[in-house]
Amino acid sequence: MVNEFIQTADFKFIKNNLSILVQSLLKLLQSCEIMDKELLDKYTKLGRGNWGKDLAIWKTMYKGFLGMAKSERGFLNPGKSEELNPFIEMLLNAFLEIPKARKEGIPVIMHPFNYEPELFFAMNLAPLMQEILSVGLAFVHMNEPYIDYINNIGYGDNPTICNAQRPLISMAMQKAAPIPDLLFYLSTPCNSLAASYQVFQGLTGIPSYNIDVPYWAYEEASEYYDEKTMQYMINQSKNFITWLENNTKHKFEEQKFQQTMEITNEAREYTLEFNELLKAVPCPMPSITGFGVFLTMVARGGSPEAVKATKWFRDTAAENVKKGIGAVPDEKIRIAWPYTHVFFDINLLNWIEQTFNAVVVMDLLGHYKVLPQDTSTIENCFKSLALGTLDASMVGKCRGPLEYYLNYLIDYVKDYKIDCVIMPMHFACKHVYTMARIASEAIREETGIPTLIFGVDSYDSREVTSEELKSKISDFLTHIVL
Amino acid sequence: MTILEKFYQSIPLENPWIESWKKEGKKVLGTFCSYIPDEIIYAADILPIRIRAKGCAETPMGDAYLTQTACSFTRCCLEMANRKQYNFLDGMISCNSCDQIRRLFDNIRFKAPPPFHHFLSVPGNVNETTIDWFKHELTKFKETLEENFSVDISDNKLRDAIKIYNKSRTLLKELYMLRKNTAPPISGTDMMNILLTNVSIPKEQFNELLSQQLQEIDGKEGISDYKARIMLAGSMLDDPDYVKIIEELGGLVVTDAYCLGPRYFWDNVDETKNPMDALANYYMSRVSCPRMAGRQSNRVEHIVDLIKEFNVDGVILQRMKFCALWWGEIFIIRKKLKELNIPFLDLEREYVMSGVGAMKTRVQGFMEVLEAR
């Protein structure tokens, strides 16, 4: 049920914002060189029609990504811009799926960036990963008007509540947010996410479900091992399925679930192989690529498209390794980036690559490491589903004691022959920012390499500007690392 | 010394009751959250006290390790730990109350490790599966205490502890309900002192003091020279001076919603059940903290019920700076209060009292609004 906040939307505000967004995207499109008319036509046609008022921004973002896909720069596809790569195709289909689901009466379920959608695919539901909005809008500096609006309304500020979710609340209050049929979120990785999803639920009245991710680990080798964890997660997944069945007319079918988990595991195998290939010197893929792998799994894990995309990432990396091609010519510095990217500055990584012959091997999210499982039995499939949650990129490294993050980071530095660490800490991200200092001390002690820590709002270009970021990174790389 | 004055003696972290307890050779454990069942610690003949950071003046260590965008309570606690202000404790127990508390605990473990520490994984929502998990966590906790302190925590000892704690809850509720009166016999400031004492001294002694307090106020004339009846709700608050400012400006705090308040004592632990089952059920099912997902509407209803029951004129919502959970919660509470046409004031604060002038101005303005209604 949509409540009064939604009904009294400020349409003028939305109209103005959309206009800014469209102008930004048009600028981007104008700089693009269209290479494949047939594919462009196909996806342009698919994007036509009335998507519904609440999907106006979703549709504009689709058009923006379509433009980027055709860009001369070949987003995530250096030197091969004549192809529409499987990753971009997958991403476009993720956008298209929502209006299509609406048309066909398939329930849309909104979920956060730390839960893969395989269960939703298995139950024939349409997943909508919420943070695509805030990340996608950050590229074109379009979160800022929403952030200003929500600041005025009085829901959080940049250092308190994460702007990966806050624009959603702003949009919801202006009838500009996609309104799903169901809402789902986890208790991790942070309070901020849980708070905002609860507020979204409170504003819209959409039925919501939450799964608790325990603080402890399940790994037998770990001193934090707890045999109950896996069963706990499985039991919660089963409760969730019952809730999904009760709130949709869709029945859970074991066979479909098993098939979906097989597909998921195939993609997970490719991602692990991809991770291994990034150990090569020079690094075979550009700095942003890891994030693409993560996005594939979290937006489309469990779909054949995700298999195709992860295979493409793996094959491209393998080919480059074989040929000795590095993403950065004459690679001089290998950087670990154990946090999320600065989403508002899409060119930052390119700038690092070009200015310093440096490559960011992987970011925290891009370091996707969910181990493939045997899926021969239904219980094993549930185990595999649980692993996808427990080991989800940020969840796996941050849901437990600080030692988990340290172990991940030190292994990363050693295994990937890292020269320095850069931690661009998002102000509102309390659970990671509060580990950064100890992490930097541990890295220096264990590996002897330096760490740069700085505060930033990854979604708001005004807190710490691109120029300031570049200045900090430049000083660090020039005076300390090189 | 009046009974009320005795309660005031519990305000320093290391109070006379703790000193006497330690003189008997007994242990004291500090806890960080109301989701940690004190009963289990007490059953081990160990005194559980709520960790506070009273006396913290500056936070250079907290700022450096937790950053300046962490809440000032956690920064103060890290500072106090680093300055050995908690050295009278024999250990610390924490849980995943919120991101900042769990990372505070990590930082304390790394930078100023206590002699003993334990962490409870408290589920983030409430259903049969999560209650069962929590029971398992409590069992592990009990076993860890037994092993580390060479004690036996039998079911009988747990039952005794539950009884003693339930008695505190019953007495607190009895006193608390008197605040419904048109002329309540106790101010909000004094009530907060009593609530602080409740988590700072041995329970038997607390129960004795509280019983005496109830006798002392029985039949006495209450407070009637106030301008408005106030509810105080929000983040963790352990500073009676904060309440005092409101009351000096004419508001009388008659009810509250924060972790030391009614959430702690509104219901009793079931004494007829297996103690571990009863504790797991009680702590998970009582009126929750905003950390519990999916319970927001219950919490808002509870607040609305209190407003009606205690005949509240206006609500002061206070949230500690950088507290995401309470900001989310307050956003929805405000919406409800607006719907019900209940006046409210939204205040941001730091753990250590600061900006008193600005706060006074805003509270004064709020009182005028309430008086004019």
Side-chain angles (χ1 to χ4, degrees), chain A residues 273-285:
Chain A
E273 288 175 33
F274 173 80
N275 289 353
E276 282 300 305
L277 289 161
L278 294 188
K279 289 178 180 171
V281 179
C283 183
M285 298 296 275

Side-chain angles (χ1 to χ4, degrees), chain A residues 191 210 398 403 430-431 441, chain B residues 65 69 99 103 109 124-125:
Chain A
N191 300 142
N210 172 266
C398 304
E403 284 86 340
K430 314 295 181 202
H431 73 109
E441 289 174 358
Chain B
Y65 280 86
T69 57
D99 295 335
R103 291 296 177 223
R109 283 194 299 114
N125 63 45

Side-chain angles (χ1 to χ4, degrees), chain B residues 60-214:
Chain B
M61 168 108 177
D63 296 352
Y65 280 86
L66 297 173
T67 80
Q68 287 180 324
T69 57
C71 82
S72 45
F73 172 65
T74 54
R75 281 183 281 141
C76 282
C77 287
L78 183 58
E79 205 63 49
M80 301 281 276
N82 191 48
R83 294 180 188 198
K84 305 186 191 314
Q85 300 290 304
Y86 298 132
N87 277 14
F88 69 99
L89 295 173
D90 297 288
M92 288 182 178
I93 317 296
S94 191
C95 68
N96 45 342
S97 321
C98 69
D99 295 335
Q100 298 174 79
I101 288 286
R102 71 185 172 107
R103 291 296 177 223
L104 161 68
F105 196 62
D106 281 333
N107 276 272
I108 287 179
R109 283 194 299 114
F110 272 73
K111 292 293 161 188
F116 166 80
H117 55 81
H118 185 83
F119 192 96
L120 280 162
S121 173
V122 181
N125 63 45
V126 186
N127 57 50
E128 276 181 29
T129 308
T130 57
I131 292 173
D132 182 59
W133 167 273
F134 191 51
K135 186 189 162 194
H136 175 75
E137 278 294 300
L138 296 187
T139 306
K140 271 201 309 188
F141 177 42
K142 179 180 93 81
E143 288 166 1
T144 307
L145 287 176
E146 287 177 325
E147 194 182 317
N148 276 277
F149 295 100
S150 305
V151 289
D152 170 46
I153 306 176
S154 64
D155 278 2
N156 281 339
K157 285 181 181 171
L158 279 170
R159 283 196 186 94
D160 289 345
I162 289 171
K163 262 185 201 157
I164 293 167
Y165 272 71
N166 274 348
K167 188 174 179 194
S168 295
R169 292 186 178 103
T170 307
L171 292 170
L172 279 169
K173 198 166 177 180
E174 191 181 331
L175 177 65
Y176 201 88
M177 288 304 187
L178 295 174
R179 300 166 87 190
K180 285 182 180 178
N181 298 350
T182 313
I186 189 160
S187 70
T189 312
D190 289 337
M191 189 70 207
M192 172 164 269
N193 269 305
I194 292 171
L195 293 173
L196 278 179
T197 310
N198 177 43
V199 293
S200 307
I201 73 169
K203 271 287 178 286
E204 284 96 338
Q205 286 155 298
F206 174 75
N207 290 347
E208 203 180 309
L209 274 178
L210 192 49
S211 301
Q212 289 171 17
Q213 177 64 33
L214 280 160

Side-chain angles (χ1 to χ4, degrees), chain B residues 352-372:
Chain B
V352 177
M353 285 282 279
S354 60
V356 173
M359 179 188 165
K360 278 184 176 173
T361 307
R362 295 198 61 200
V363 173
Q364 205 160 16
F366 186 55
M367 290 305 153
E368 280 166 22
V369 169
L370 295 180
E371 272 191 298

